[in-house]
Amino acid sequence: MLLTRKAEFSASHVCADPARTPAENQALYGPNANPHGHGHNYVLEVTIEGDPDPVTGMVFDLRELKEIIHAEVVEPMDHRFLNHEVSPFDQVVPTAENLAVEIWRRLQPRLSAPPARLKNVRLFETADLYVDYGGER
Ligand SMILES: [Zn+2]
């Protein structure tokens, strides 16, 4: 069974590679490369997979799942300028794709064993754009 918990956080970013020139970044990322940054209200959906416990009827403790997402993602990223305040985004361009990978990397160690394993991270950058990441293939 799949169980999904949603969380939201707001953060700003610049999509620019520090190794490229401003003109190269402008060509590659367009207005998203503006060095002053811009914000998003990110919506995160964390999906775990497991079997409901025959006694409790639950796949996983929902309060614990909420606490894990808060501690690993919301607390460190909410109201932050990702490029300057959240590792590794001083080195890695904080696109939605790279953010989803980093969120997976942070959550996976705490959701890696029965009763439930991390199955998918879905990150909405805007209402009409999201990425799904299910770990390395
Ligand atoms: Zn953006």
Side-chain angles (χ1 to χ4, degrees), residues 13-15 32 38-40 42 94 125:
H13 70 165
V14 176
C15 286
N32 292 328
H38 59 275
H40 292 286
Y42 291 98
E125 190 172 78

Side-chain angles (χ1 to χ4, degrees), residues 19-129:
R20 294 175 193 267
T21 67
E24 287 172 336
N25 279 314
Q26 186 71 34
L28 194 55
Y29 297 106
N32 292 328
N34 178 330
H36 298 296
H38 59 275
H40 292 286
N41 296 318
Y42 291 98
V43 177
L44 172 64
E45 294 178 2
V46 175
T47 299
I48 58 175
E49 182 174 38
D51 295 319
D53 182 279
V55 176
T56 67
M58 298 194 302
V59 171
F60 196 76
D61 184 319
L62 295 176
R63 278 171 307 179
E64 191 183 342
L65 182 57
K66 186 177 184 176
E67 283 167 18
I68 291 170
I69 295 169
H70 190 85
E72 301 297 335
V73 180
V74 176
E75 201 282 324
M77 296 189 185
D78 194 28
H79 295 130
R80 302 289 175 170
F81 198 138
L82 297 172
N83 306 66
H84 301 301
E85 297 182 89
V86 180
S87 177
F89 299 116
D90 55 334
Q91 308 287 332
V92 175
V93 184
T95 58
E97 294 90 325
N98 285 338
L99 255 173
V101 171
E102 175 60 16
I103 290 168
W104 174 278
R105 197 192 63 76
R106 289 175 181 228
L107 293 175
Q108 200 273 337
R110 299 188 63 179
L111 298 165
S112 63
R117 292 176 188 277
L118 185 58
K119 176 77 174 171
N120 192 62
V121 165
R122 173 170 288 183
L123 183 70
F124 286 81
E125 190 172 78
T126 64
D128 53 10
L129 176 76

